[in-house]
Amino acid sequence: MKTVFVLNGPNLNLLGLREPGIYGASTLQDVEQLCEQAAQRNGFALRFHQSNHEGELIGWLHEAGALRREGKLAGVVLNAAAYTHTSVALMDAIKGADVPVIELHISNVHAREAFRHHSYIAPVARAVMCGLGVQGYSLAIDAVAQCLHD
C-alpha cells in the first residue's frame, strides 16, 4: 500500500478559529478525518502533519522523497500556507526530493491580497488547487491517485 503525505504549514492548527469567513468552521482534526476517508477510498495509507516550522516541513518532504525512491509513496498534498509565498527552501526541497506535489489552498488565494498571488511552490508542483474549502483536501488526494495512472 502506497502512502500519501498531507502536509500543513503555519497557522493551520488554528483552523476553525482563525478567520472562519475565509477558512470555514472545520478544524484541522476535521480535515484529518476527511483526508483519512479519501486515503482509504484510494487505497492509500495516510501521513498527516502540521507544523509552524519550515524546517519540519522540509524534513517531511525529504522523508517523502526517500519513500518515493523505495516505491512506497503515492504523492504529497501540501498546504504550505504563508510559506507558499515566501519559501524558496520548500521549493528546493520538493525539487530535491523529487516527489509529486499537489499544492493546495483552502481559500482562493488569487481573490485575496496581492502578495498571496505568487507561489514558490507552483512551478515545482504537479497541480495547484485553491478555493474549494477543506473539501479541496479530499479532491487533492483523488488527484494524487489520478497522477499514478497518468
PDB file of all heavy atoms in Angstrom, residues 59-90:
ATOM      1  N   GLY A  59      11.816  18.511   6.332  1.00  0.00           N
ATOM      2  CA  GLY A  59      12.163  17.151   6.745  1.00  0.00           C
ATOM      3  C   GLY A  59      11.152  16.125   6.271  1.00  0.00           C
ATOM      4  O   GLY A  59      11.524  15.036   5.821  1.00  0.00           O
ATOM      5  N   TRP A  60       9.866  16.464   6.366  1.00  0.00           N
ATOM      6  CA  TRP A  60       8.841  15.533   5.893  1.00  0.00           C
ATOM      7  C   TRP A  60       8.893  15.369   4.375  1.00  0.00           C
ATOM      8  O   TRP A  60       8.661  14.273   3.862  1.00  0.00           O
ATOM      9  CB  TRP A  60       7.451  15.983   6.341  1.00  0.00           C
ATOM     10  CG  TRP A  60       7.231  15.834   7.818  1.00  0.00           C
ATOM     11  CD1 TRP A  60       7.673  14.815   8.627  1.00  0.00           C
ATOM     12  CD2 TRP A  60       6.523  16.731   8.664  1.00  0.00           C
ATOM     13  NE1 TRP A  60       7.267  15.037   9.921  1.00  0.00           N
ATOM     14  CE2 TRP A  60       6.557  16.202   9.981  1.00  0.00           C
ATOM     15  CE3 TRP A  60       5.844  17.931   8.445  1.00  0.00           C
ATOM     16  CZ2 TRP A  60       5.948  16.826  11.062  1.00  0.00           C
ATOM     17  CZ3 TRP A  60       5.241  18.557   9.525  1.00  0.00           C
ATOM     18  CH2 TRP A  60       5.296  18.014  10.815  1.00  0.00           C
ATOM     19  N   LEU A  61       9.208  16.430   3.647  1.00  0.00           N
ATOM     20  CA  LEU A  61       9.366  16.308   2.193  1.00  0.00           C
ATOM     21  C   LEU A  61      10.551  15.396   1.861  1.00  0.00           C
ATOM     22  O   LEU A  61      10.468  14.563   0.948  1.00  0.00           O
ATOM     23  CB  LEU A  61       9.538  17.676   1.540  1.00  0.00           C
ATOM     24  CG  LEU A  61       8.273  18.516   1.474  1.00  0.00           C
ATOM     25  CD1 LEU A  61       8.586  19.971   1.146  1.00  0.00           C
ATOM     26  CD2 LEU A  61       7.291  17.941   0.441  1.00  0.00           C
ATOM     27  N   HIS A  62      11.648  15.525   2.602  1.00  0.00           N
ATOM     28  CA  HIS A  62      12.795  14.635   2.392  1.00  0.00           C
ATOM     29  C   HIS A  62      12.407  13.181   2.680  1.00  0.00           C
ATOM     30  O   HIS A  62      12.795  12.272   1.938  1.00  0.00           O
ATOM     31  CB  HIS A  62      13.965  15.044   3.277  1.00  0.00           C
ATOM     32  CG  HIS A  62      14.575  16.350   2.896  1.00  0.00           C
ATOM     33  ND1 HIS A  62      15.568  16.939   3.638  1.00  0.00           N
ATOM     34  CD2 HIS A  62      14.344  17.204   1.869  1.00  0.00           C
ATOM     35  CE1 HIS A  62      15.927  18.077   3.088  1.00  0.00           C
ATOM     36  NE2 HIS A  62      15.177  18.268   2.010  1.00  0.00           N
ATOM     37  N   GLU A  63      11.645  12.977   3.751  1.00  0.00           N
ATOM     38  CA  GLU A  63      11.178  11.631   4.085  1.00  0.00           C
ATOM     39  C   GLU A  63      10.282  11.082   2.970  1.00  0.00           C
ATOM     40  O   GLU A  63      10.387   9.914   2.586  1.00  0.00           O
ATOM     41  CB  GLU A  63      10.423  11.660   5.407  1.00  0.00           C
ATOM     42  CG  GLU A  63       9.971  10.308   5.882  1.00  0.00           C
ATOM     43  CD  GLU A  63       9.214  10.355   7.205  1.00  0.00           C
ATOM     44  OE1 GLU A  63       9.179  11.414   7.866  1.00  0.00           O
ATOM     45  OE2 GLU A  63       8.648   9.307   7.561  1.00  0.00           O
ATOM     46  N   ALA A  64       9.413  11.939   2.435  1.00  0.00           N
ATOM     47  CA  ALA A  64       8.551  11.525   1.320  1.00  0.00           C
ATOM     48  C   ALA A  64       9.396  11.119   0.119  1.00  0.00           C
ATOM     49  O   ALA A  64       9.090  10.136  -0.566  1.00  0.00           O
ATOM     50  CB  ALA A  64       7.584  12.649   0.959  1.00  0.00           C
ATOM     51  N   GLY A  65      10.468  11.857  -0.139  1.00  0.00           N
ATOM     52  CA  GLY A  65      11.363  11.513  -1.244  1.00  0.00           C
ATOM     53  C   GLY A  65      12.001  10.148  -1.061  1.00  0.00           C
ATOM     54  O   GLY A  65      12.113   9.372  -2.019  1.00  0.00           O
ATOM     55  N   ALA A  66      12.414   9.849   0.158  1.00  0.00           N
ATOM     56  CA  ALA A  66      13.006   8.532   0.431  1.00  0.00           C
ATOM     57  C   ALA A  66      11.982   7.425   0.195  1.00  0.00           C
ATOM     58  O   ALA A  66      12.302   6.385  -0.408  1.00  0.00           O
ATOM     59  CB  ALA A  66      13.535   8.482   1.868  1.00  0.00           C
ATOM     60  N   LEU A  67      10.745   7.644   0.634  1.00  0.00           N
ATOM     61  CA  LEU A  67       9.692   6.646   0.400  1.00  0.00           C
ATOM     62  C   LEU A  67       9.391   6.498  -1.087  1.00  0.00           C
ATOM     63  O   LEU A  67       9.125   5.397  -1.564  1.00  0.00           O
ATOM     64  CB  LEU A  67       8.426   7.014   1.165  1.00  0.00           C
ATOM     65  CG  LEU A  67       8.474   6.823   2.681  1.00  0.00           C
ATOM     66  CD1 LEU A  67       7.199   7.346   3.330  1.00  0.00           C
ATOM     67  CD2 LEU A  67       8.677   5.355   3.032  1.00  0.00           C
ATOM     68  N   ARG A  68       9.436   7.601  -1.811  1.00  0.00           N
ATOM     69  CA  ARG A  68       9.199   7.523  -3.261  1.00  0.00           C
ATOM     70  C   ARG A  68      10.274   6.670  -3.932  1.00  0.00           C
ATOM     71  O   ARG A  68       9.983   5.842  -4.787  1.00  0.00           O
ATOM     72  CB  ARG A  68       9.144   8.902  -3.881  1.00  0.00           C
ATOM     73  CG  ARG A  68       8.942   8.844  -5.395  1.00  0.00           C
ATOM     74  CD  ARG A  68       8.665  10.202  -5.972  1.00  0.00           C
ATOM     75  NE  ARG A  68       8.776  10.214  -7.417  1.00  0.00           N
ATOM     76  CZ  ARG A  68       7.771  10.012  -8.249  1.00  0.00           C
ATOM     77  NH1 ARG A  68       6.569   9.781  -7.777  1.00  0.00           N
ATOM     78  NH2 ARG A  68       7.953  10.056  -9.549  1.00  0.00           N
ATOM     79  N   ARG A  69      11.528   6.884  -3.543  1.00  0.00           N
ATOM     80  CA  ARG A  69      12.611   6.089  -4.135  1.00  0.00           C
ATOM     81  C   ARG A  69      12.455   4.607  -3.830  1.00  0.00           C
ATOM     82  O   ARG A  69      12.902   3.763  -4.601  1.00  0.00           O
ATOM     83  CB  ARG A  69      13.966   6.617  -3.666  1.00  0.00           C
ATOM     84  CG  ARG A  69      14.322   7.968  -4.292  1.00  0.00           C
ATOM     85  CD  ARG A  69      15.737   8.415  -3.961  1.00  0.00           C
ATOM     86  NE  ARG A  69      15.948   8.686  -2.539  1.00  0.00           N
ATOM     87  CZ  ARG A  69      15.583   9.804  -1.913  1.00  0.00           C
ATOM     88  NH1 ARG A  69      14.969  10.775  -2.583  1.00  0.00           N
ATOM     89  NH2 ARG A  69      15.833   9.959  -0.624  1.00  0.00           N
ATOM     90  N   GLU A  70      11.796   4.287  -2.714  1.00  0.00           N
ATOM     91  CA  GLU A  70      11.536   2.889  -2.345  1.00  0.00           C
ATOM     92  C   GLU A  70      10.249   2.362  -2.977  1.00  0.00           C
ATOM     93  O   GLU A  70       9.872   1.218  -2.763  1.00  0.00           O
ATOM     94  CB  GLU A  70      11.423   2.763  -0.819  1.00  0.00           C
ATOM     95  CG  GLU A  70      12.692   3.067  -0.074  1.00  0.00           C
ATOM     96  CD  GLU A  70      12.482   3.135   1.430  1.00  0.00           C
ATOM     97  OE1 GLU A  70      11.400   2.753   1.919  1.00  0.00           O
ATOM     98  OE2 GLU A  70      13.412   3.577   2.129  1.00  0.00           O
ATOM     99  N   GLY A  71       9.541   3.215  -3.734  1.00  0.00           N
ATOM    100  CA  GLY A  71       8.293   2.803  -4.358  1.00  0.00           C
ATOM    101  C   GLY A  71       7.112   2.772  -3.410  1.00  0.00           C
ATOM    102  O   GLY A  71       6.092   2.156  -3.707  1.00  0.00           O
ATOM    103  N   LYS A  72       7.219   3.457  -2.271  1.00  0.00           N
ATOM    104  CA  LYS A  72       6.187   3.397  -1.237  1.00  0.00           C
ATOM    105  C   LYS A  72       5.350   4.663  -1.119  1.00  0.00           C
ATOM    106  O   LYS A  72       4.460   4.718  -0.270  1.00  0.00           O
ATOM    107  CB  LYS A  72       6.835   3.097   0.116  1.00  0.00           C
ATOM    108  CG  LYS A  72       7.534   1.752   0.175  1.00  0.00           C
ATOM    109  CD  LYS A  72       8.217   1.550   1.506  1.00  0.00           C
ATOM    110  CE  LYS A  72       8.945   0.213   1.539  1.00  0.00           C
ATOM    111  NZ  LYS A  72       9.677   0.057   2.806  1.00  0.00           N
ATOM    112  N   LEU A  73       5.627   5.672  -1.925  1.00  0.00           N
ATOM    113  CA  LEU A  73       4.914   6.949  -1.824  1.00  0.00           C
ATOM    114  C   LEU A  73       4.065   7.175  -3.063  1.00  0.00           C
ATOM    115  O   LEU A  73       4.553   7.049  -4.187  1.00  0.00           O
ATOM    116  CB  LEU A  73       5.893   8.119  -1.677  1.00  0.00           C
ATOM    117  CG  LEU A  73       5.197   9.474  -1.551  1.00  0.00           C
ATOM    118  CD1 LEU A  73       4.806   9.740  -0.107  1.00  0.00           C
ATOM    119  CD2 LEU A  73       6.057  10.591  -2.097  1.00  0.00           C
ATOM    120  N   ALA A  74       2.801   7.542  -2.830  1.00  0.00           N
ATOM    121  CA  ALA A  74       1.928   7.928  -3.937  1.00  0.00           C
ATOM    122  C   ALA A  74       2.159   9.388  -4.306  1.00  0.00           C
ATOM    123  O   ALA A  74       2.227   9.743  -5.480  1.00  0.00           O
ATOM    124  CB  ALA A  74       0.462   7.701  -3.557  1.00  0.00           C
ATOM    125  N   GLY A  75       2.250  10.255  -3.301  1.00  0.00           N
ATOM    126  CA  GLY A  75       2.455  11.674  -3.547  1.00  0.00           C
ATOM    127  C   GLY A  75       2.222  12.478  -2.286  1.00  0.00           C
ATOM    128  O   GLY A  75       1.957  11.931  -1.214  1.00  0.00           O
ATOM    129  N   VAL A  76       2.291  13.802  -2.453  1.00  0.00           N
ATOM    130  CA  VAL A  76       2.181  14.726  -1.335  1.00  0.00           C
ATOM    131  C   VAL A  76       1.139  15.781  -1.657  1.00  0.00           C
ATOM    132  O   VAL A  76       1.141  16.355  -2.757  1.00  0.00           O
ATOM    133  CB  VAL A  76       3.534  15.417  -1.062  1.00  0.00           C
ATOM    134  CG1 VAL A  76       3.401  16.475   0.035  1.00  0.00           C
ATOM    135  CG2 VAL A  76       4.611  14.393  -0.704  1.00  0.00           C
ATOM    136  N   VAL A  77       0.257  16.036  -0.710  1.00  0.00           N
ATOM    137  CA  VAL A  77      -0.633  17.195  -0.749  1.00  0.00           C
ATOM    138  C   VAL A  77      -0.019  18.197   0.211  1.00  0.00           C
ATOM    139  O   VAL A  77       0.183  17.883   1.386  1.00  0.00           O
ATOM    140  CB  VAL A  77      -2.071  16.830  -0.329  1.00  0.00           C
ATOM    141  CG1 VAL A  77      -2.939  18.080  -0.243  1.00  0.00           C
ATOM    142  CG2 VAL A  77      -2.658  15.808  -1.295  1.00  0.00           C
ATOM    143  N   LEU A  78       0.298  19.375  -0.297  1.00  0.00           N
ATOM    144  CA  LEU A  78       0.993  20.377   0.513  1.00  0.00           C
ATOM    145  C   LEU A  78       0.199  21.669   0.568  1.00  0.00           C
ATOM    146  O   LEU A  78       0.011  22.332  -0.451  1.00  0.00           O
ATOM    147  CB  LEU A  78       2.378  20.655  -0.069  1.00  0.00           C
ATOM    148  CG  LEU A  78       3.184  21.787   0.583  1.00  0.00           C
ATOM    149  CD1 LEU A  78       3.450  21.500   2.055  1.00  0.00           C
ATOM    150  CD2 LEU A  78       4.491  21.997  -0.172  1.00  0.00           C
ATOM    151  N   ASN A  79      -0.282  21.986   1.764  1.00  0.00           N
ATOM    152  CA  ASN A  79      -0.825  23.316   2.033  1.00  0.00           C
ATOM    153  C   ASN A  79       0.249  24.027   2.834  1.00  0.00           C
ATOM    154  O   ASN A  79       0.300  23.923   4.059  1.00  0.00           O
ATOM    155  CB  ASN A  79      -2.143  23.248   2.809  1.00  0.00           C
ATOM    156  CG  ASN A  79      -2.764  24.617   3.005  1.00  0.00           C
ATOM    157  OD1 ASN A  79      -2.108  25.638   2.846  1.00  0.00           O
ATOM    158  ND2 ASN A  79      -4.035  24.640   3.356  1.00  0.00           N
ATOM    159  N   ALA A  80       1.128  24.709   2.131  1.00  0.00           N
ATOM    160  CA  ALA A  80       2.262  25.373   2.774  1.00  0.00           C
ATOM    161  C   ALA A  80       1.856  26.673   3.452  1.00  0.00           C
ATOM    162  O   ALA A  80       2.683  27.314   4.090  1.00  0.00           O
ATOM    163  CB  ALA A  80       3.369  25.620   1.757  1.00  0.00           C
ATOM    164  N   ALA A  81       0.576  27.054   3.311  1.00  0.00           N
ATOM    165  CA  ALA A  81       0.060  28.281   3.919  1.00  0.00           C
ATOM    166  C   ALA A  81       0.951  29.454   3.519  1.00  0.00           C
ATOM    167  O   ALA A  81       1.337  29.550   2.363  1.00  0.00           O
ATOM    168  CB  ALA A  81      -0.082  28.101   5.423  1.00  0.00           C
ATOM    169  N   ALA A  82       1.297  30.318   4.443  1.00  0.00           N
ATOM    170  CA  ALA A  82       2.067  31.520   4.115  1.00  0.00           C
ATOM    171  C   ALA A  82       3.436  31.198   3.526  1.00  0.00           C
ATOM    172  O   ALA A  82       3.983  32.005   2.755  1.00  0.00           O
ATOM    173  CB  ALA A  82       2.210  32.403   5.350  1.00  0.00           C
ATOM    174  N   TYR A  83       3.994  30.025   3.835  1.00  0.00           N
ATOM    175  CA  TYR A  83       5.283  29.657   3.247  1.00  0.00           C
ATOM    176  C   TYR A  83       5.206  29.527   1.729  1.00  0.00           C
ATOM    177  O   TYR A  83       6.220  29.601   1.047  1.00  0.00           O
ATOM    178  CB  TYR A  83       5.811  28.353   3.845  1.00  0.00           C
ATOM    179  CG  TYR A  83       6.290  28.457   5.269  1.00  0.00           C
ATOM    180  CD1 TYR A  83       6.045  27.418   6.161  1.00  0.00           C
ATOM    181  CD2 TYR A  83       6.989  29.565   5.738  1.00  0.00           C
ATOM    182  CE1 TYR A  83       6.483  27.489   7.472  1.00  0.00           C
ATOM    183  CE2 TYR A  83       7.431  29.643   7.046  1.00  0.00           C
ATOM    184  CZ  TYR A  83       7.174  28.600   7.912  1.00  0.00           C
ATOM    185  OH  TYR A  83       7.609  28.657   9.212  1.00  0.00           O
ATOM    186  N   THR A  84       4.023  29.326   1.199  1.00  0.00           N
ATOM    187  CA  THR A  84       3.838  29.267  -0.252  1.00  0.00           C
ATOM    188  C   THR A  84       4.440  30.490  -0.917  1.00  0.00           C
ATOM    189  O   THR A  84       5.041  30.391  -1.995  1.00  0.00           O
ATOM    190  CB  THR A  84       2.328  29.218  -0.583  1.00  0.00           C
ATOM    191  OG1 THR A  84       1.755  28.088   0.038  1.00  0.00           O
ATOM    192  CG2 THR A  84       2.085  29.196  -2.079  1.00  0.00           C
ATOM    193  N   HIS A  85       4.267  31.631  -0.280  1.00  0.00           N
ATOM    194  CA  HIS A  85       4.614  32.914  -0.885  1.00  0.00           C
ATOM    195  C   HIS A  85       6.003  33.395  -0.504  1.00  0.00           C
ATOM    196  O   HIS A  85       6.435  34.448  -0.982  1.00  0.00           O
ATOM    197  CB  HIS A  85       3.572  33.964  -0.466  1.00  0.00           C
ATOM    198  CG  HIS A  85       2.184  33.427  -0.442  1.00  0.00           C
ATOM    199  ND1 HIS A  85       1.514  33.045  -1.589  1.00  0.00           N
ATOM    200  CD2 HIS A  85       1.355  33.152   0.589  1.00  0.00           C
ATOM    201  CE1 HIS A  85       0.310  32.583  -1.253  1.00  0.00           C
ATOM    202  NE2 HIS A  85       0.202  32.632   0.056  1.00  0.00           N
ATOM    203  N   THR A  86       6.701  32.632   0.332  1.00  0.00           N
ATOM    204  CA  THR A  86       7.984  33.109   0.850  1.00  0.00           C
ATOM    205  C   THR A  86       9.118  32.096   0.794  1.00  0.00           C
ATOM    206  O   THR A  86      10.277  32.484   0.926  1.00  0.00           O
ATOM    207  CB  THR A  86       7.845  33.541   2.329  1.00  0.00           C
ATOM    208  OG1 THR A  86       7.487  32.396   3.120  1.00  0.00           O
ATOM    209  CG2 THR A  86       6.806  34.639   2.496  1.00  0.00           C
ATOM    210  N   SER A  87       8.827  30.819   0.624  1.00  0.00           N
ATOM    211  CA  SER A  87       9.844  29.802   0.893  1.00  0.00           C
ATOM    212  C   SER A  87      10.480  29.192  -0.355  1.00  0.00           C
ATOM    213  O   SER A  87       9.951  28.246  -0.951  1.00  0.00           O
ATOM    214  CB  SER A  87       9.266  28.673   1.759  1.00  0.00           C
ATOM    215  OG  SER A  87      10.289  27.740   2.039  1.00  0.00           O
ATOM    216  N   VAL A  88      11.646  29.708  -0.672  1.00  0.00           N
ATOM    217  CA  VAL A  88      12.472  29.073  -1.695  1.00  0.00           C
ATOM    218  C   VAL A  88      12.959  27.726  -1.164  1.00  0.00           C
ATOM    219  O   VAL A  88      13.122  26.770  -1.927  1.00  0.00           O
ATOM    220  CB  VAL A  88      13.653  29.997  -2.073  1.00  0.00           C
ATOM    221  CG1 VAL A  88      14.619  29.309  -3.010  1.00  0.00           C
ATOM    222  CG2 VAL A  88      13.131  31.294  -2.697  1.00  0.00           C
ATOM    223  N   ALA A  89      13.152  27.629   0.134  1.00  0.00           N
ATOM    224  CA  ALA A  89      13.629  26.381   0.743  1.00  0.00           C
ATOM    225  C   ALA A  89      12.642  25.233   0.518  1.00  0.00           C
ATOM    226  O   ALA A  89      13.060  24.105   0.230  1.00  0.00           O
ATOM    227  CB  ALA A  89      13.880  26.587   2.237  1.00  0.00           C
ATOM    228  N   LEU A  90      11.338  25.496   0.649  1.00  0.00           N
ATOM    229  CA  LEU A  90      10.355  24.438   0.374  1.00  0.00           C
ATOM    230  C   LEU A  90      10.376  24.056  -1.101  1.00  0.00           C
ATOM    231  O   LEU A  90      10.301  22.873  -1.447  1.00  0.00           O
ATOM    232  CB  LEU A  90       8.951  24.881   0.786  1.00  0.00           C
ATOM    233  CG  LEU A  90       8.620  24.767   2.265  1.00  0.00           C
ATOM    234  CD1 LEU A  90       7.249  25.378   2.555  1.00  0.00           C
ATOM    235  CD2 LEU A  90       8.671  23.336   2.745  1.00  0.00           C
TER     236      LEU A  90
END
